[in-house]
Amino acid sequence: MTNFHTTVSRRDFMKGIGLAGAGLGAAAAVAPVWHDLDEVTSSSAQFKHPWYVKEREYDDPTLEVDWNVFDRIDRTVSVLGVKGRLTATNAAHGALHPEIQKYIDMKKNGRDIEYMKEKFPSYQGPSLRDYSLADANIASRRLGRPDFTGNYSGLTIKTPEDRNMTKWQGTPEENLQTITNAFKFFGATRIRVMELTEKGKKLVYKNESSGKPYNFKDAAKPEDTGSEYVIPNTARYLINYACLEATDHVRQAPGPTYSGYCHGEKVSANVHYFLGSMGFMHIEAGGFTPAAGVGAFAGTTEHSRSAMVGTSYSHGNLFRWMGRVITDMPLSPTKPYDAGIARFCVDCMTCADNCPYGSMPLGDKMWEHESPEEEKVKNYVAGYKGWRLFNFRCPRCKGCHGTCVFNGGNEAVIHNIVRTTQSITPIFNGFFADMEEMFGYGTRNPDVWWTHEVPTFQFDPTYLF
Ligand code: SF4
Ligand code: SF4
């Protein structure tokens, strides 16, 4: 079986942090008490977080928000979320900021591959079988992407009327359980819900880059009228269904690995079909809501230094596909949480240190952007104190997905110790951040993948809970 996880014992762990032999008194003063190591692994309940994770109030994730400033994104003046940041978009900005051209050239010249060659001297770059594996995986993408209303061309969803049945009836709590089980069956790992309250609506972009607006209206159904996208006011719930990247193969990143999107697109079609077939709206919101922002509000992930992705206490940065769909199905919203991740990131820079393009912030949380080039054109979401991605530099090489110290399945005891300890005291953070190799996360020589035993269907079973 893959040796992805470490098997560091408790004794090794205490020795590693310099507490073995000195007695546990010092540790006991600052560290949580573990009655049994099983205690820290018992975190698989569907909606119940482990004991060290605290739920917060709705619309109050672990990042400071100035609600007077934080507002719906106007895409006509922001490049955020526009595809091809290192191509068309940045080329346009490149004229204004020549520095950006450097990153366009770096990507064009294969910086991802060069980075891996520098890290692993024996590595020659992707072989034919690497490219074939990545592209063969995409070969199963047939349906494309859904339109605004959540429908696919070439796919007819059977409605309740088609079956001579009535729309599904369930309480918000029952419905949350229903979609959780259905979406997990399809292949999603975490299913969370945020309500589109007045604050929550601020996460829905104001328009697309052409200026066509997303308008909340008293309407019977969602519609793309040609001049506007209509979101009915009865569609009050934004579901976030998070799907994993290939948990083992992602450690080859940066490099050819697109499996998370391939898998996510499959689940997306299942999700849209299921909600439509149950008689509910299923507006595809992936293109006009922020993945990490919704993750933090819905309680899927926490805001972190990695900035491009949200970080989960149970799955680190491995949620590659953060599906978002707006529905009128009555649902019980889930709460944001505090697992200490945002605090841990203050001292940990593992992902940022391993970013081939220097696209991640290395400083403290800020209200502004750490990068002068992005600050100059205000290329970021304003109104929160946190970390922001260097959009102009990042070509989405996926390296940060594989390097977070919170990556790891439930059976990796040491990961649970990291999680439980850091939520209570930050004193070991520096130590944990230095333990990349020992704990078994971080980038790996891509050639290794072809010689070790790989998990069936891309996922190490310890992540599947
Ligand atoms: S932020 Fe992540 S995806 Fe972007 S360049 Fe850095 S490692 Fe790659
Ligand atoms: S690697 Fe460290 S700094 Fe980066 S997101 Fe994970 S915990 Fe935070």
Side-chain angles (χ1 to χ4, degrees):
M1 191 56 220
T2 173
N3 194 30
F4 184 89
H5 301 301
T6 178
T7 50
V8 178
S9 69
R10 182 175 180 169
R11 180 175 170 73
D12 288 341
F13 166 71
M14 299 309 275
K15 204 169 147 193
I17 57 178
L19 293 171
L24 294 181
V30 291
V33 175
W34 298 296
H35 303 291
D36 188 297
L37 287 181
D38 287 343
E39 187 178 304
V40 296
T41 63
S42 59
S43 58
S44 59
Q46 202 141 268
F47 301 109
K48 201 170 166 290
H49 297 295
W51 62 269
Y52 58 88
V53 178
K54 298 167 196 68
E55 280 196 334
R56 296 171 64 89
E57 287 309 308
Y58 294 117
D59 294 336
D60 183 29
T62 53
L63 75 165
E64 215 178 318
V65 179
D66 180 346
W67 289 105
N68 294 319
V69 176
F70 187 84
D71 210 347
R72 299 179 66 186
I73 293 175
D74 183 347
R75 294 274 296 278
T76 60
V77 295
S78 167
V79 299
L80 287 169
V82 176
K83 284 178 188 167
R85 291 164 188 82
L86 285 183
T87 54
T89 305
N90 280 4
H93 283 79
L96 291 172
H97 304 284
E99 172 74 0
I100 294 162
Q101 188 61 43
K102 186 170 96 188
Y103 295 94
I104 298 173
D105 292 341
M106 277 167 73
K107 174 64 181 167
K108 216 187 289 171
N109 296 332
R111 171 63 191 146
D112 308 7
I113 308 303
E114 287 311 310
Y115 172 82
M116 295 299 266
K117 285 183 183 170
E118 286 161 18
K119 199 153 184 147
F120 306 105
S122 67
Y123 181 56
Q124 299 290 305
S127 63
L128 178 61
R129 65 179 175 179
D130 290 318
Y131 284 124
S132 300
L133 183 86
D135 289 348
N137 199 34
I138 302 177
S140 59
R141 293 162 104 173
R142 292 233 178 122
L143 287 169
R145 298 283 174 100
D147 62 19
F148 170 72
T149 62
N151 289 298
Y152 291 77
S153 64
L155 176 70
T156 305
I157 298 175
K158 257 191 180 179
T159 63
E161 295 75 38
D162 293 334
R163 301 178 201 270
N164 287 323
M165 298 176 92
T166 53
K167 183 174 177 168
W168 180 258
Q169 302 292 323
T171 65
E173 292 74 22
E174 287 166 349
N175 288 341
L176 177 61
Q177 179 74 60
T178 295
I179 62 162
T180 298
N181 283 16
F183 293 8
K184 286 183 91 167
F185 175 78
F186 299 143
T189 296
R190 283 284 178 274
I191 296 86
R192 299 290 186 248
V193 176
M194 66 171 279
E195 188 173 359
L196 293 174
T197 60
E198 283 315 302
K199 284 180 176 170
K201 280 180 181 171
K202 291 192 173 190
L203 274 81
V204 177
Y205 299 169
K206 195 184 278 182
N207 47 35
E208 61 177 20
S209 52
S210 70
K212 189 168 158 184
Y214 295 98
N215 291 330
F216 292 98
K217 283 191 164 177
D218 288 327
K221 58 183 177 56
E223 197 180 358
D224 174 357
T225 67
S227 59
E228 66 172 350
Y229 296 107
V230 177
I231 304 171
N233 284 323
T234 49
R236 288 190 58 78
Y237 301 100
L238 175 47
I239 304 171
N240 177 207
Y241 58 100
C243 304
L244 287 170
E245 175 53 80
T247 54
D248 181 63
H249 195 253
V250 72
R251 292 188 58 201
Q252 332 299 102
T257 174
Y258 326 112
S259 126
Y261 291 114
C262 178
H263 176 60
E265 284 184 4
K266 177 259 178 210
V267 178
S268 169
N270 299 144
V271 161
H272 280 290
Y273 195 106
F274 185 76
L275 289 172
S277 182
M278 295 277 277
F280 297 101
M281 297 175 196
H282 49 103
I283 300 168
E284 171 54 42
F288 58 91
T289 55
V294 171
F297 275 71
T300 313
T301 51
E302 213 178 305
H303 174 70
S304 71
R305 183 183 295 281
S306 61
M308 192 186 80
V309 288
T311 302
S312 146
Y313 62 80
S314 53
H315 293 81
N317 285 355
L318 291 171
F319 290 143
R320 179 72 165 279
W321 178 277
M322 291 284 277
R324 276 101 66 208
V325 56
I326 294 174
T327 185
D328 60 339
M329 176 187 248
L331 287 165
S332 180
T334 50
K335 289 184 169 178
Y337 65 71
D338 177 356
I341 294 169
R343 284 193 300 281
F344 186 81
C345 295
V346 170
D347 296 316
C348 174
M349 317 234 172
T350 306
C351 56
D353 284 340
N354 287 285
C355 171
Y357 291 84
S359 301
M360 280 191 226
L362 289 161
D364 293 333
K365 296 180 200 175
M366 296 172 69
W367 290 100
E368 298 82 27
H369 206 295
E370 189 179 304
S371 154
E373 69 216 36
E374 310 252 357
E375 181 60 34
K376 210 167 179 176
V377 289
K378 303 285 180 198
N379 182 38
Y380 59 92
V381 178
Y384 75 86
K385 188 177 181 185
W387 291 286
R388 292 173 171 84
L389 180 72
F390 289 26
N391 252 310
F392 286 149
R393 300 185 188 185
C394 168
R396 275 52 180 171
C397 78
K398 311 121 195 159
C400 45
H401 286 282
T403 50
C404 180
V405 303
F406 284 88
N407 291 1
N410 248 15
E411 286 176 15
V413 171
I414 195 66
H415 291 113
N416 288 294
I417 295 172
V418 172
R419 293 178 201 128
T420 52
T421 305
Q422 58 74 35
S423 69
I424 291 172
T425 171
I427 68 164
F428 300 138
N429 286 2
F431 163 77
F432 290 139
D434 290 339
M435 294 290 284
E436 184 179 347
E437 284 308 315
M438 191 171 177
F439 286 178
Y441 40 76
T443 312
R444 181 174 56 201
N445 184 336
D447 292 336
V448 169
W449 191 83
W450 291 101
T451 58
H452 81 154
E453 193 177 347
V454 301
T456 301
F457 197 55
Q458 312 170 6
F459 305 118
D460 187 312
T462 57
Y463 291 87
L464 302 180
F465 59 92

